[in-house]
Amino acid sequence: MQIRLTINGKVHEPDVSAGETLLELLRRLGLKSVKFACGTGNCGACTVLLDGKPVLACLMVAPQADGRSVTTVEGLSADGGLHPLQQAFMELGAPQCGFCTPGMLMSAVGLLSENPDPTRQEIREAISGNICRCSGYVKVVDAVIAAAKALREGGAGGNG
Amino acid sequence: MADLKVVSRGLPKVDAEAIVRGEPHYVMDMVPDGALHAVILRSPHAHARIRRIDVSRAEAAPGVALVLTHEDVPRVPFTTAGQNYPEPSPYDTFMLDDKVRFVGDRVAVVAAESRQKALAALDLIDVDYEVLPAVLDPHDALREGAPVIHDEADSQGIHDRDRNVAAHIEVDVGNVETGFAEADHVFEQEYSVQYMQHVPMENHVSLAYLDDKRRVVVVTSTQVPFHVRRIVARVNQIPISRVRVVKPRVGGAFGVKQEVVLEDLCVQIALKTGRPVVMTLSRAEEFYASRTRHPMYLKIKGGFKRDGTLVANELKVLANTGAYGAHCLTVPSNTGSKSLPLYRSPNIRYTADVAYTNLPVAGAFRGYGAPQGYFALESMMDEVAHELGMDPMELRRKNLIRQGDEDPIATKLGEGKEGFARTVESCGMEDCIRLAGEAVPGSGPPQSRPFHRVKRGRGFALCMHGTGIPGDDMAGATIKANEDGSFNLLVGAADLGTGSDTVLAQMAAEVLGVSLDDVVVYSADTDYTPFDVGAYASSTTFVSGTAVVRAAEKVRERLRAVAGDLLGSETGGIAFEEGFFKTRQGKRIHMKEAALKSFYGEHRQQIVESASFLTMVCPPPFCACFAEVDVDLDTGMINVIGIASAVDVGRAINPVLAEGQIVGSVAQGVGYALSEEMLFDDKGRNVNASLMDYKVPAATDLPDIKGLIVETDEPSHPFGVKSVGEICLDNVAPAITNAVFNATGVRFRSLPLTPERVLKALRKAGL
Amino acid sequence: MKHFRQYLKPGRLAEAIDLRKDVGPKALYIAGGTTVVPFASKGVDVLIDITGLGLDGISDHGDVISIGGTTRLAGLLHPGLAAEVPVVYRAASVVGSPQLRNMATLGGTLAGVFLPSDIGIALLAMGASIYLNGDEERIISIDDLLNQGWLSGYDLITEVRIEKRRKHKGAGFSKFGRSKVDISLVNAAAAIEMSGGVTGSVRIAVGQTGSKPALLNGQAMGAGGRDMTRDLVGELAEKAAGLVKPKADARASADYRKSLIGTMVGRALMEAAREAGVEFAD
């Protein structure tokens, strides 16, 4: 069946099957940032924004995204620049192996769109569905704090 | 050290921007259209012979290109362990065999047009198994009359095949019997540790295809590209020269990818079909069909004088290596060699029996045997301090190894061969103790409520580790100058997200007097980069780093000679400062100009230099971990409310990356201590092979872990480096169990401290 | 790739029910999909998406709050709900992860795989009413729903109605998982109504994932008419632990669950009592 959805601001009309997960569809369309790591909804590596809210692409079938808007990490940078979250992650050494990073970034984007000045505990809760095996989360939280500050102070660039 | 410009800076990783942009550089992002997908049929039985296997229905299934069983592939005994040749692990594994030795063992492989079609064809393979009795406990495996797991005639290097002993270790220093006789206080206790899995976020994945010269190219998520090349060539019976292994970005490893898990089969399928083929593990397979940490039973006995002086120390280990013996000798060797030297003792004995069982295969996992040893050792020290009425830190200080000391066990316990002498040339343990202790000073009493009573406690544990494997770890580096004064740095070293590309480039940039941007790293490609053992044993910054520095120094000398020509001076009279070559008279030329002229000047040449380095030392980093915990007396839940790890790393080439290593390994240590455990039923099936039921710490399960760096400038490395990759995991579990004891008076001698186990023990203690 | 062959998204409730009836057992309703997508049996071919039927939303009906069956759990984290039905708010805030809460729906958690859910237990203590439509339109008590285990026939949950909190009435919820993000090994909820300064009615709901929940009547347990004290709470908690048969599975032993039941009931009762205006001496 054909569906119509917006991905990172661009309209797509792919042919999908009822059994294809949103994760498979997004990767098939070239959005390789969305990762398969568990397939059971427990690790968050496949987190994308669905109408601005973080969801797990491995737990959705593609037709559920019909008529909806999806944002992935590829859509975070306006004009090729870096979103303040990406900038902060990079500068503060948050990503190690990087496999959890896209999902982690999307959960952080979702958080900051609702809570522009989160505490460290609120950040931890927002990323509690994103497993990182490398970092122990400290630099991730540091980066979200820094990015939140940059955004509040009018940080330029990026689609929030 | 003189004013460093690039080294000691927390610069962003060279690949950080591509990571945060989510750019496609993992193996699964590179699978060509039309590649075959192969999946493995796995044994449902813990121990069985394959009497008959009929794949005809599977071969005929739609989209299936190839089905292989033991009848179709070469039978070459090998070890999957990624170690130097000749590997100190038994050759007890076959690509496909007519016997299966654990639930999940390989039975057959199907390659098809899609993963779905391959999976569907698995159901069409008919296997007639002769189910054999299985052993699921290493004690049982060693008993008289136990089923023999490796009864095949052609395995090699098994210590005692008929008794299921994969490896055996016995080492003596002095005479422990005499020592115990002289002791005022003898302590003896048994501890046990569990099956832990690495849970890398990226499951194992390998891609193989034939290039335009019909060589096999293996693009794989690995720590050990060169070992993979050698091993897959051998088991597929093709020359090494016909294989190229490339490591792209790796999504985490921690030891589980120091192993040939899929590559051998990928190559076989690529050779037989002529088509690209990709294989990956599901998350469930990642648990039971890749590798794990070695579970162990550890009996430790310490003899102490009344004043706390350690006079005899004996550790006896029974390790479970699972169904195959990858790393079965070397991990348990490290259990003794990394832990026992921490405290001076004139008499030391270490013995280990490593048993096969019909359970998932243990292998390399960050710490590599040391976390197990330290759980026993640092528990003993805490228990003995309590028994002697001594301050636990005072007891440690009485016995700690010091700068200038020789490690008494090093020559006797190498990795499968005689070891190398080790003298402690740098030791920052006191600073580690001070910093970590100050970072977890202890909070006031916890808040208790009805049905939510809480006790709070604080504890610590110390450790030392190693840096590389002396006499064994070797690395090469090649540096090629470009006309703009940038350099290509080619290293075989494998960056796993650890940042080794960046750290090695920082060292090269420092020597060459350029910025990090001027060093372009290409790594881990067996065709283009020099040999490197790979990312394990906490060796890269030290061993690969020394090779890089030497290569960079050679390049600098070549450029100095060019500068000498241009400045009309003997090279001996030319200094290199702040990027300039200068004569004594003050004439100077910038290094970049020298580079340009080297290409287009009178004596034009391509400046390219290589160096390799074999380490002969193993300088120990030192670490202190302090933890504060809340114990919920009504549920048994333990909450780590504060934890700090301070580590003497020699020098942190990149402090931000070093901190990341500390915090990340402490997080894994917390999981080891409190929640991570593979569970099995009585048929040997791993019943919690999912992230829902194998509990890895999430962001809400951890406090802000403090990672603290101490620097001591180790003399055996040009930049004073030791290591940081593994050590901070070693002492987390005992720091936590010592804190729990401090809180409750209850001693835990088995990991993990799940809430259920804790509550049972608390109730038993009347709490 | 999952095994589903057909995906339908009707625009009207009657259409959804007709489709379900037409296809029969090979069809499943899907709302959030967080249990259907990973766990639906191989026999399920057809997915009928019910999120387009306007069954989401929270509305105030005087004494009761009405929550639409396809309201996402994240939607329950609503300040209005926190004020009017705090126990449901609290239960919703500890279910799964943020992503799962954005996807899973209230109806789904009452009809899905991991029964009884945290929210289900909170609603059970509250005596919520469940509005069903399928074979016929009807209202059943949550007690009946959770007792039957699965939604039967072609039923789907259109609405859940819960009484708002009132003076002298309080509810509490408590769950235990092996880590902060986990399904419950044991969960418990309690609803207390004080009457004339002493204990009136007490409903205690206890759940263990994978088995039928227990609903205990505090009055039958001897609490009626007595002062609500810490000791009474302890007595009720201990009795509850004796009355509920603890299950054993790979996640926890029966013994451990028994201990947890006592503790979780105690915690839920304390919270309910405090909300009902009881002040406990320290």
Side-chain angles (χ1 to χ4, degrees), chain B residues 116 449-453 632 634-637 639 675 679 687 692-693 695 698 700-701 755-756 759 763, chain C residues 1 114 176-183 230 233-234 237 250-253 256 259-260 263-264 266-267 270:
Chain B
Q116 285 68 41
R449 298 193 299 280
F451 306 98
H452 206 143
R453 299 166 301 144
D632 183 328
D634 291 308
T635 61
M637 179 65 100
N639 188 15
S675 62
L679 299 169
V687 297
M692 174 165 277
D693 290 313
K695 307 299 284 176
T700 39
D701 297 314
E756 173 160 355
L759 190 67
R763 291 280 181 268
Chain C
M1 187 72 73
F114 297 109
F176 186 79
R178 295 155 294 181
S179 62
K180 295 279 175 359
V181 175
D182 196 6
I183 62 165
R230 164 80 183 74
V233 171
R251 298 191 174 112
S253 68
Y256 184 53
S259 304
L260 288 176
T263 300
M264 293 302 120
R267 289 183 188 180
M270 292 298 295

Short mmCIF file of all heavy atoms in Angstrom, two decimals, chain B residues 116 449-453 632 634-637 639 675 679 687 692-693 695 698 700-701 755-756 759 763, chain C residues 1 114 176-183 230 233-234 237 250-253 256 259-260 263-264 266-267 270:
data_model
loop_
_atom_site.label_atom_id
_atom_site.label_comp_id
_atom_site.label_asym_id
_atom_site.label_seq_id
_atom_site.Cartn_x
_atom_site.Cartn_y
_atom_site.Cartn_z
N GLN B 116 14.46 -12.39 5.68
CA GLN B 116 13.19 -13.11 5.93
C GLN B 116 13.20 -14.46 5.24
O GLN B 116 12.78 -15.47 5.81
CB GLN B 116 11.99 -12.31 5.40
CG GLN B 116 11.59 -11.13 6.24
CD GLN B 116 12.61 -10.01 6.21
OE1 GLN B 116 13.18 -9.71 5.15
NE2 GLN B 116 12.85 -9.41 7.35
N ARG B 449 11.18 5.77 55.33
CA ARG B 449 9.74 5.97 55.52
C ARG B 449 9.13 4.61 55.80
O ARG B 449 9.77 3.58 55.56
CB ARG B 449 9.13 6.55 54.23
CG ARG B 449 9.69 7.91 53.85
CD ARG B 449 8.83 8.59 52.77
NE ARG B 449 8.74 7.87 51.52
CZ ARG B 449 9.66 7.87 50.56
NH1 ARG B 449 10.77 8.55 50.72
NH2 ARG B 449 9.47 7.19 49.44
N PRO B 450 7.90 4.59 56.28
CA PRO B 450 7.28 3.28 56.50
C PRO B 450 7.25 2.49 55.21
O PRO B 450 6.97 3.03 54.14
CB PRO B 450 5.85 3.64 56.95
CG PRO B 450 5.92 5.04 57.44
CD PRO B 450 7.03 5.70 56.69
N PHE B 451 7.58 1.20 55.29
CA PHE B 451 7.64 0.31 54.14
C PHE B 451 8.71 0.75 53.14
O PHE B 451 8.76 0.27 52.01
CB PHE B 451 6.28 0.21 53.42
CG PHE B 451 5.18 -0.17 54.36
CD1 PHE B 451 4.37 0.81 54.90
CD2 PHE B 451 5.01 -1.48 54.74
CE1 PHE B 451 3.38 0.47 55.82
CE2 PHE B 451 4.01 -1.83 55.66
CZ PHE B 451 3.20 -0.85 56.19
N HIS B 452 9.54 1.64 53.55
CA HIS B 452 10.60 2.12 52.66
C HIS B 452 11.78 2.51 53.55
O HIS B 452 12.24 3.65 53.53
CB HIS B 452 10.10 3.32 51.86
CG HIS B 452 10.83 3.47 50.56
ND1 HIS B 452 10.22 3.87 49.40
CD2 HIS B 452 12.13 3.28 50.24
CE1 HIS B 452 11.10 3.91 48.42
NE2 HIS B 452 12.26 3.56 48.90
N ARG B 453 12.24 1.51 54.32
CA ARG B 453 13.35 1.78 55.22
C ARG B 453 14.64 1.69 54.43
O ARG B 453 14.81 0.80 53.61
CB ARG B 453 13.37 0.73 56.35
CG ARG B 453 12.10 0.73 57.21
CD ARG B 453 12.05 -0.53 58.07
NE ARG B 453 12.06 -1.73 57.26
CZ ARG B 453 12.68 -2.87 57.61
NH1 ARG B 453 13.34 -2.95 58.74
NH2 ARG B 453 12.63 -3.92 56.81
N ASP B 632 17.55 -0.48 50.22
CA ASP B 632 16.13 -0.47 50.60
C ASP B 632 15.87 -1.78 51.35
O ASP B 632 15.90 -2.86 50.74
CB ASP B 632 15.28 -0.35 49.33
CG ASP B 632 13.79 -0.27 49.61
OD1 ASP B 632 13.32 -0.87 50.61
OD2 ASP B 632 13.08 0.35 48.80
N ASP B 634 13.26 -2.94 52.48
CA ASP B 634 11.95 -3.55 52.25
C ASP B 634 11.81 -4.17 50.86
O ASP B 634 10.86 -4.90 50.62
CB ASP B 634 10.85 -2.51 52.47
CG ASP B 634 10.74 -2.16 53.95
OD1 ASP B 634 10.62 -3.10 54.77
OD2 ASP B 634 10.81 -0.97 54.30
N THR B 635 12.74 -3.88 49.97
CA THR B 635 12.69 -4.52 48.66
C THR B 635 14.02 -5.16 48.28
O THR B 635 14.09 -5.94 47.34
CB THR B 635 12.35 -3.51 47.54
OG1 THR B 635 13.39 -2.51 47.52
CG2 THR B 635 11.00 -2.87 47.76
N GLY B 636 15.09 -4.79 48.96
CA GLY B 636 16.40 -5.29 48.59
C GLY B 636 17.06 -4.49 47.49
O GLY B 636 18.18 -4.79 47.08
N MET B 637 16.40 -3.45 47.01
CA MET B 637 16.96 -2.67 45.92
C MET B 637 18.15 -1.85 46.42
O MET B 637 18.08 -1.24 47.48
CB MET B 637 15.90 -1.71 45.38
CG MET B 637 16.37 -0.81 44.26
SD MET B 637 16.80 -1.76 42.77
CE MET B 637 15.32 -1.51 41.82
N ASN B 639 20.61 1.27 45.53
CA ASN B 639 20.72 2.45 44.69
C ASN B 639 22.09 3.08 44.93
O ASN B 639 22.43 3.41 46.06
CB ASN B 639 19.59 3.41 45.11
CG ASN B 639 19.47 4.58 44.18
OD1 ASN B 639 20.01 4.58 43.08
ND2 ASN B 639 18.74 5.59 44.61
N SER B 675 23.04 -5.93 38.70
CA SER B 675 21.86 -6.34 37.93
C SER B 675 22.10 -7.26 36.75
O SER B 675 21.15 -7.89 36.28
CB SER B 675 21.15 -5.09 37.40
OG SER B 675 22.02 -4.38 36.52
N LEU B 679 20.68 -15.84 32.67
CA LEU B 679 20.03 -16.90 33.43
C LEU B 679 19.75 -18.09 32.51
O LEU B 679 19.46 -17.91 31.33
CB LEU B 679 18.70 -16.39 34.01
CG LEU B 679 18.85 -15.22 34.98
CD1 LEU B 679 17.49 -14.60 35.28
CD2 LEU B 679 19.51 -15.68 36.28
N VAL B 687 17.47 -18.00 29.32
CA VAL B 687 16.06 -17.60 29.37
C VAL B 687 15.83 -16.10 29.39
O VAL B 687 14.70 -15.65 29.29
CB VAL B 687 15.35 -18.24 30.59
CG1 VAL B 687 15.34 -19.75 30.46
CG2 VAL B 687 15.98 -17.81 31.89
N MET B 692 14.92 -6.64 27.84
CA MET B 692 13.86 -6.47 28.82
C MET B 692 14.25 -7.17 30.12
O MET B 692 13.96 -6.70 31.21
CB MET B 692 12.55 -7.04 28.29
CG MET B 692 11.46 -7.02 29.34
SD MET B 692 9.83 -7.28 28.66
CE MET B 692 9.43 -5.63 28.13
N ASP B 693 14.92 -8.30 29.99
CA ASP B 693 15.19 -9.10 31.18
C ASP B 693 16.66 -9.26 31.51
O ASP B 693 16.99 -9.92 32.49
CB ASP B 693 14.52 -10.47 31.05
CG ASP B 693 13.02 -10.36 31.14
OD1 ASP B 693 12.55 -9.66 32.06
OD2 ASP B 693 12.32 -10.93 30.29
N LYS B 695 19.39 -6.82 32.60
CA LYS B 695 19.26 -5.40 32.98
C LYS B 695 20.58 -4.66 32.92
O LYS B 695 21.44 -4.78 33.80
CB LYS B 695 18.68 -5.31 34.41
CG LYS B 695 17.40 -6.08 34.61
CD LYS B 695 16.27 -5.62 33.73
CE LYS B 695 15.65 -4.33 34.21
NZ LYS B 695 14.60 -3.86 33.27
N ALA B 698 20.44 1.95 32.92
CA ALA B 698 19.95 3.06 32.11
C ALA B 698 20.28 4.36 32.84
O ALA B 698 20.77 4.33 33.98
CB ALA B 698 18.45 2.93 31.89
N THR B 700 18.58 6.41 34.44
CA THR B 700 17.94 6.62 35.73
C THR B 700 18.39 5.61 36.78
O THR B 700 17.95 5.64 37.92
CB THR B 700 16.41 6.52 35.59
OG1 THR B 700 16.09 5.48 34.66
CG2 THR B 700 15.84 7.83 35.07
N ASP B 701 19.29 4.70 36.39
CA ASP B 701 19.79 3.72 37.35
C ASP B 701 21.14 4.12 37.92
O ASP B 701 21.70 3.40 38.74
CB ASP B 701 19.95 2.34 36.66
CG ASP B 701 18.62 1.80 36.18
OD1 ASP B 701 17.65 1.85 36.97
OD2 ASP B 701 18.55 1.33 35.03
N PRO B 755 17.94 -7.38 43.71
CA PRO B 755 17.08 -7.08 44.86
C PRO B 755 16.58 -8.35 45.55
O PRO B 755 16.54 -8.40 46.78
CB PRO B 755 15.93 -6.30 44.24
CG PRO B 755 16.49 -5.70 43.00
CD PRO B 755 17.53 -6.65 42.50
N GLU B 756 16.28 -9.36 44.77
CA GLU B 756 15.77 -10.58 45.40
C GLU B 756 16.83 -11.20 46.33
O GLU B 756 16.53 -11.57 47.46
CB GLU B 756 15.34 -11.59 44.32
CG GLU B 756 14.98 -12.93 44.94
CD GLU B 756 14.11 -13.82 44.08
OE1 GLU B 756 13.67 -13.39 42.99
OE2 GLU B 756 13.86 -14.95 44.52
N LEU B 759 17.36 -8.96 49.44
CA LEU B 759 16.30 -9.01 50.46
C LEU B 759 16.38 -10.30 51.25
O LEU B 759 16.23 -10.31 52.47
CB LEU B 759 14.92 -8.87 49.80
CG LEU B 759 13.80 -8.69 50.83
CD1 LEU B 759 13.93 -7.34 51.53
CD2 LEU B 759 12.41 -8.79 50.18
N ARG B 763 16.86 -10.31 55.27
CA ARG B 763 15.91 -10.96 56.16
C ARG B 763 16.62 -11.97 57.05
O ARG B 763 16.37 -12.06 58.24
CB ARG B 763 14.80 -11.67 55.36
CG ARG B 763 13.86 -10.74 54.63
CD ARG B 763 12.79 -10.15 55.56
NE ARG B 763 11.89 -9.28 54.83
CZ ARG B 763 12.07 -7.96 54.69
NH1 ARG B 763 13.13 -7.37 55.20
NH2 ARG B 763 11.19 -7.24 54.03
N MET C 1 11.08 -7.40 9.41
CA MET C 1 9.79 -7.47 8.71
C MET C 1 8.85 -8.31 9.57
O MET C 1 9.18 -9.44 9.95
CB MET C 1 9.98 -8.12 7.34
CG MET C 1 8.78 -8.11 6.45
SD MET C 1 8.38 -6.48 5.77
CE MET C 1 9.67 -6.26 4.57
N PHE C 114 1.20 -7.41 28.69
CA PHE C 114 1.75 -7.43 30.04
C PHE C 114 0.68 -7.06 31.06
O PHE C 114 0.68 -6.01 31.65
CB PHE C 114 2.93 -6.47 30.15
CG PHE C 114 4.08 -6.86 29.26
CD1 PHE C 114 4.38 -6.12 28.14
CD2 PHE C 114 4.81 -8.00 29.53
CE1 PHE C 114 5.42 -6.49 27.31
CE2 PHE C 114 5.86 -8.39 28.71
CZ PHE C 114 6.16 -7.63 27.60
N PHE C 176 7.11 -2.25 41.84
CA PHE C 176 8.51 -2.63 41.97
C PHE C 176 9.00 -3.29 40.71
O PHE C 176 8.44 -4.28 40.24
CB PHE C 176 8.75 -3.57 43.16
CG PHE C 176 10.21 -3.83 43.36
CD1 PHE C 176 11.01 -2.90 43.99
CD2 PHE C 176 10.81 -4.97 42.84
CE1 PHE C 176 12.38 -3.10 44.13
CE2 PHE C 176 12.18 -5.19 42.97
CZ PHE C 176 12.96 -4.25 43.62
N GLY C 177 10.08 -2.73 40.16
CA GLY C 177 10.75 -3.35 39.03
C GLY C 177 12.21 -3.51 39.40
O GLY C 177 12.70 -2.92 40.35
N ARG C 178 12.90 -4.31 38.61
CA ARG C 178 14.30 -4.58 38.92
C ARG C 178 15.19 -3.37 38.67
O ARG C 178 16.31 -3.29 39.16
CB ARG C 178 14.81 -5.77 38.09
CG ARG C 178 14.11 -7.07 38.44
CD ARG C 178 14.15 -8.05 37.29
NE ARG C 178 13.40 -7.56 36.15
CZ ARG C 178 13.25 -8.21 35.01
NH1 ARG C 178 13.81 -9.39 34.86
NH2 ARG C 178 12.56 -7.68 34.02
N SER C 179 14.67 -2.44 37.87
CA SER C 179 15.38 -1.20 37.63
C SER C 179 14.33 -0.13 37.43
O SER C 179 13.14 -0.43 37.45
CB SER C 179 16.28 -1.32 36.40
OG SER C 179 15.48 -1.57 35.27
N LYS C 180 14.76 1.11 37.22
CA LYS C 180 13.78 2.18 37.13
C LYS C 180 12.85 2.02 35.93
O LYS C 180 11.69 2.38 35.98
CB LYS C 180 14.48 3.55 37.05
CG LYS C 180 15.25 3.93 38.31
CD LYS C 180 14.34 4.47 39.37
CE LYS C 180 14.99 4.77 40.72
NZ LYS C 180 16.38 4.53 40.91
N VAL C 181 13.37 1.53 34.82
CA VAL C 181 12.51 1.28 33.66
C VAL C 181 12.35 -0.23 33.57
O VAL C 181 13.27 -0.93 33.20
CB VAL C 181 13.14 1.81 32.36
CG1 VAL C 181 12.30 1.43 31.15
CG2 VAL C 181 13.29 3.32 32.44
N ASP C 182 11.20 -0.73 33.97
CA ASP C 182 11.01 -2.18 33.98
C ASP C 182 9.51 -2.44 34.08
O ASP C 182 8.76 -1.61 34.61
CB ASP C 182 11.71 -2.81 35.19
CG ASP C 182 11.89 -4.32 35.06
OD1 ASP C 182 11.57 -4.88 33.99
OD2 ASP C 182 12.35 -4.95 36.04
N ILE C 183 9.11 -3.60 33.60
CA ILE C 183 7.73 -4.00 33.92
C ILE C 183 7.71 -4.35 35.40
O ILE C 183 8.76 -4.59 36.00
CB ILE C 183 7.26 -5.19 33.08
CG1 ILE C 183 8.12 -6.42 33.34
CG2 ILE C 183 7.31 -4.85 31.60
CD1 ILE C 183 7.47 -7.67 32.82
N ARG C 230 -0.34 3.60 61.26
CA ARG C 230 0.77 2.87 60.64
C ARG C 230 0.63 1.37 60.92
O ARG C 230 0.88 0.53 60.05
CB ARG C 230 2.05 3.47 61.22
CG ARG C 230 3.32 2.74 61.07
CD ARG C 230 3.96 2.92 59.71
NE ARG C 230 5.14 2.11 59.65
CZ ARG C 230 5.14 0.79 59.52
NH1 ARG C 230 4.01 0.13 59.41
NH2 ARG C 230 6.27 0.13 59.52
N VAL C 233 -2.01 -0.17 58.73
CA VAL C 233 -1.47 -0.35 57.38
C VAL C 233 -0.62 -1.60 57.32
O VAL C 233 -0.73 -2.43 56.41
CB VAL C 233 -0.66 0.89 56.94
CG1 VAL C 233 0.08 0.60 55.62
CG2 VAL C 233 -1.57 2.10 56.75
N GLY C 234 0.23 -1.74 58.33
CA GLY C 234 1.10 -2.92 58.38
C GLY C 234 0.29 -4.21 58.45
O GLY C 234 0.62 -5.21 57.80
N ALA C 237 -1.20 -4.84 55.08
CA ALA C 237 -0.18 -5.25 54.12
C ALA C 237 0.19 -6.71 54.33
O ALA C 237 0.32 -7.49 53.39
CB ALA C 237 1.05 -4.36 54.25
N ALA C 250 10.82 -16.53 35.70
CA ALA C 250 12.24 -16.24 35.54
C ALA C 250 12.62 -14.90 36.14
O ALA C 250 13.78 -14.65 36.42
CB ALA C 250 12.61 -16.26 34.06
N ARG C 251 11.65 -14.02 36.36
CA ARG C 251 11.96 -12.69 36.86
C ARG C 251 12.05 -12.64 38.38
O ARG C 251 12.76 -11.80 38.93
CB ARG C 251 10.92 -11.68 36.38
CG ARG C 251 10.90 -11.55 34.88
CD ARG C 251 10.07 -10.37 34.38
NE ARG C 251 10.24 -10.28 32.95
CZ ARG C 251 9.29 -10.51 32.05
NH1 ARG C 251 8.07 -10.83 32.43
NH2 ARG C 251 9.56 -10.43 30.76
N ALA C 252 11.30 -13.49 39.06
CA ALA C 252 11.30 -13.45 40.53
C ALA C 252 10.70 -14.74 41.07
O ALA C 252 9.85 -15.34 40.43
CB ALA C 252 10.49 -12.25 41.03
N SER C 253 11.14 -15.11 42.25
CA SER C 253 10.58 -16.31 42.88
C SER C 253 9.29 -15.95 43.62
O SER C 253 9.00 -14.77 43.85
CB SER C 253 11.59 -16.87 43.90
OG SER C 253 11.69 -15.96 44.99
N TYR C 256 9.98 -14.12 46.96
CA TYR C 256 10.34 -12.71 46.82
C TYR C 256 9.12 -11.89 46.51
O TYR C 256 8.89 -10.82 47.08
CB TYR C 256 11.41 -12.54 45.74
CG TYR C 256 11.91 -11.12 45.61
CD1 TYR C 256 12.39 -10.43 46.72
CD2 TYR C 256 11.90 -10.47 44.38
CE1 TYR C 256 12.84 -9.13 46.61
CE2 TYR C 256 12.36 -9.16 44.27
CZ TYR C 256 12.83 -8.50 45.38
OH TYR C 256 13.28 -7.21 45.28
N SER C 259 7.15 -11.13 49.60
CA SER C 259 7.69 -10.00 50.36
C SER C 259 7.34 -8.68 49.69
O SER C 259 6.96 -7.70 50.33
CB SER C 259 9.21 -10.08 50.45
OG SER C 259 9.62 -11.29 51.00
N LEU C 260 7.48 -8.67 48.37
CA LEU C 260 7.20 -7.42 47.65
C LEU C 260 5.74 -7.03 47.77
O LEU C 260 5.41 -5.84 47.87
CB LEU C 260 7.56 -7.57 46.16
CG LEU C 260 9.04 -7.62 45.83
CD1 LEU C 260 9.22 -7.89 44.33
CD2 LEU C 260 9.74 -6.32 46.21
N THR C 263 5.21 -5.17 50.94
CA THR C 263 5.80 -3.83 50.89
C THR C 263 5.05 -2.90 49.95
O THR C 263 4.78 -1.74 50.29
CB THR C 263 7.28 -3.94 50.46
OG1 THR C 263 7.97 -4.75 51.40
CG2 THR C 263 7.93 -2.57 50.39
N MET C 264 4.71 -3.38 48.77
CA MET C 264 4.03 -2.50 47.81
C MET C 264 2.64 -2.12 48.32
O MET C 264 2.21 -0.97 48.15
CB MET C 264 3.92 -3.16 46.43
CG MET C 264 5.25 -3.37 45.73
SD MET C 264 6.16 -1.82 45.50
CE MET C 264 7.65 -2.20 46.42
N GLY C 266 1.78 -1.93 51.45
CA GLY C 266 2.02 -0.96 52.52
C GLY C 266 2.26 0.43 51.98
O GLY C 266 1.70 1.43 52.46
N ARG C 267 3.10 0.52 50.94
CA ARG C 267 3.41 1.83 50.37
C ARG C 267 2.16 2.46 49.75
O ARG C 267 1.91 3.67 49.91
CB ARG C 267 4.51 1.71 49.32
CG ARG C 267 5.86 1.40 49.93
CD ARG C 267 6.96 1.35 48.89
NE ARG C 267 8.20 0.87 49.48
CZ ARG C 267 9.35 0.73 48.82
NH1 ARG C 267 9.40 1.03 47.53
NH2 ARG C 267 10.42 0.29 49.44
N MET C 270 -0.18 3.73 52.50
CA MET C 270 0.31 4.95 53.15
C MET C 270 -0.01 6.16 52.28
O MET C 270 -0.45 7.20 52.76
CB MET C 270 1.82 4.89 53.37
CG MET C 270 2.30 3.86 54.39
SD MET C 270 1.72 4.12 56.07
CE MET C 270 2.50 5.67 56.50
#
